[in-house]
Amino acid sequence: MDSDSTNNEKELISRNYLFLLRKQKVQKEIEAARRLIEKNVDILEIADKFIHSTFELMRDGISNRNVDLTKEEIQQQIRNNISFKEKLKAIKKRYNRLG
């Protein structure tokens, strides 16, 4: 029982650390985008690179959690995640009316 709890603690620590690393990466991307805007680089190019790196992070996370998935299955998982979030937003908008 103690070894199970120790493994769970290590897993939680590594997930928290992984979250911090990803958060730092996104913050660095935002800072880099601000510097590029100051240098008059096209805003659409900046947005494209930012979105691309966000999808790369999702792809890496899904492939690390599910080692046996193929590329197509990983892509489908990403699509499912995006559509699920859109459905949640729609439900929130529908039930968030006053009156």
Side-chain angles (χ1 to χ4, degrees), residues 42-59:
D42 187 27
I43 294 174
L44 291 177
E45 183 180 344
I46 296 168
D48 180 54
K49 288 181 181 180
F50 182 75
I51 292 169
H52 177 74
S53 54
T54 302
F55 279 103
E56 287 295 319
L57 280 173
M58 280 198 330
R59 184 177 299 119

Side-chain angles (χ1 to χ4, degrees), residues 83-93:
S83 67
F84 180 72
K85 288 182 182 182
E86 291 300 319
K87 290 176 186 176
L88 285 177
K89 286 180 186 178
I91 290 171
K92 184 178 178 182
K93 286 180 184 177

Side-chain angles (χ1 to χ4, degrees), residues 7-19:
N7 288 338
N8 289 338
E9 288 175 9
K10 288 180 183 177
E11 185 176 328
L12 288 176
I13 290 171
S14 64
R15 284 186 182 183
N16 289 337
Y17 184 68
L18 184 61
F19 171 74

Side-chain angles (χ1 to χ4, degrees), residues 13-95:
I13 290 171
S14 64
R15 284 186 182 183
N16 289 337
Y17 184 68
L18 184 61
F19 171 74
L20 290 175
L21 287 177
R22 288 179 178 161
K23 184 177 175 183
Q24 288 174 353
K25 180 176 170 91
V26 171
Q27 287 174 341
K28 287 180 183 178
E29 291 280 337
I30 291 170
E31 291 171 6
R34 286 183 180 151
R35 286 192 303 271
L36 290 172
I37 289 172
E38 290 173 0
K39 293 180 181 179
N40 294 325
V41 176
D42 187 27
I43 294 174
L44 291 177
E45 183 180 344
I46 296 168
D48 180 54
K49 288 181 181 180
F50 182 75
I51 292 169
H52 177 74
S53 54
T54 302
F55 279 103
E56 287 295 319
L57 280 173
M58 280 198 330
R59 184 177 299 119
D60 290 344
I62 291 171
S63 65
N64 286 339
R65 280 183 264 133
N66 306 303
V67 180
D68 57 332
L69 291 180
T70 64
K71 288 183 180 182
E72 292 81 18
E73 292 171 330
I74 292 172
Q75 291 292 77
Q76 186 59 44
Q77 186 73 27
I78 291 172
R79 286 186 196 103
N80 292 343
N81 288 344
I82 292 171
S83 67
F84 180 72
K85 288 182 182 182
E86 291 300 319
K87 290 176 186 176
L88 285 177
K89 286 180 186 178
I91 290 171
K92 184 178 178 182
K93 286 180 184 177
R94 187 174 5 167
Y95 293 108

